[in-house]
Structures are given as structure tokens and as C-alpha cells.
Amino acid sequence: MLRMRSPAVALVGLMVLFGTTSAACGKNSTPSVSSPSSQATTSGSVTLEQGPGDALVFSPTNLTVKQGDTITVQNVSSMPHTFTISSKGIDVVNQPGQTTNVTIDLPPGTYEFICRFHVSSGMKGTLVVQ
């Protein structure tokens, strides 16, 4: 038989237990946003999210594709973003909720991609074309 030391301890324990369970399972719970994954490798196509959780980030931040592959650039935030590879002719502007497919016809190499609107806040990543 369990012996309780204090009703307050028991109450806090129950609140933590049921509070966590109801937040995780409730219909109206807000999903948590995990940190952007660091790398995605693809053959064919990959999705690149702009602004998950309204953070000024891309997810994933590092992509590896083959020449000719398609990247689906999806703005999941409440503000506009770009997917830009400077001086390579790639400059896509996505409004909130908008998705654009970008075919990568760049020669093999490593390229930095940025959001022109938020690069000063660190919104950038690396694309490796094989």
C-alpha cells in the first residue's frame, strides 16, 4: 500500500500526470515544434519548409540532391519568405501557405540558400548538388 506524505505532493503529481496526458492527447492541443532537422538526402524530390512554428528558419537546413531533382518549397509560416540561391537564377517568393516546386538544374557543387527577407536573422541553409 502506498503512503502519501502530503496531499499537496499528491495533487501536484496528479496535475503533472493528467496535464501532460491531456495536452498530448486532447483534440485542441497545440502540436510542439521540434528543431529543424539538419539534413535531408533525396533522390527525386524533397520538401523544404520555410518558417516552421513561425521561426525564421528553413527545415531542413542542409539538403543533398541530384542534378535535376525537384525541391518542394513550402511556406508553413504566417509571413512571406524566399528561397534564393544568389547569382544562380533561383529566387522564389512564397506567401504564407504557398508551395512552389523548384527543379535544381545546377552543376554539382555546394550552394548557400537564403531567405532574402530574413537572412540577417539567420534564415539560410546549404544545398549540395551531386
Side-chain angles (χ1 to χ4, degrees):
M1 179 152 113
L2 292 175
R3 186 173 157 210
M4 293 297 202
R5 292 183 179 227
S6 161
V9 172
L11 179 60
V12 169
L14 289 172
M15 288 173 52
V16 169
L17 177 65
F18 289 110
T20 302
T21 303
S22 65
C25 299
K27 287 183 180 179
N28 294 328
S29 65
T30 302
S32 63
V33 177
S34 55
S35 299
S37 57
S38 63
Q39 178 134 5
T41 303
T42 182
S43 59
S45 67
V46 67
T47 297
L48 176 67
E49 290 186 337
Q50 298 169 304
D54 272 340
L56 299 178
V57 296
F58 288 100
S59 180
T61 55
N62 298 300
L63 299 173
T64 300
V65 299
K66 293 179 182 171
Q67 188 176 20
D69 283 353
T70 299
I71 298 174
T72 300
V73 182
Q74 182 178 26
N75 186 342
V76 296
S77 77
S78 62
M79 61 190 88
H81 293 292
T82 73
F83 173 74
T84 305
I85 301 177
S86 299
S87 73
K88 298 299 177 188
I90 298 175
D91 189 27
V92 174
V93 178
N94 275 344
Q95 296 302 317
Q98 186 177 3
T99 299
T100 303
N101 291 321
V102 180
T103 301
I104 304 299
D105 285 326
L106 299 171
T110 301
Y111 303 90
E112 180 181 62
F113 59 88
I114 64 169
C115 170
R116 287 186 291 107
F117 304 147
H118 305 109
V119 67
S120 64
S121 297
M123 193 169 178
K124 59 186 173 180
T126 303
L127 173 69
V128 176
V129 179
Q130 299 177 333

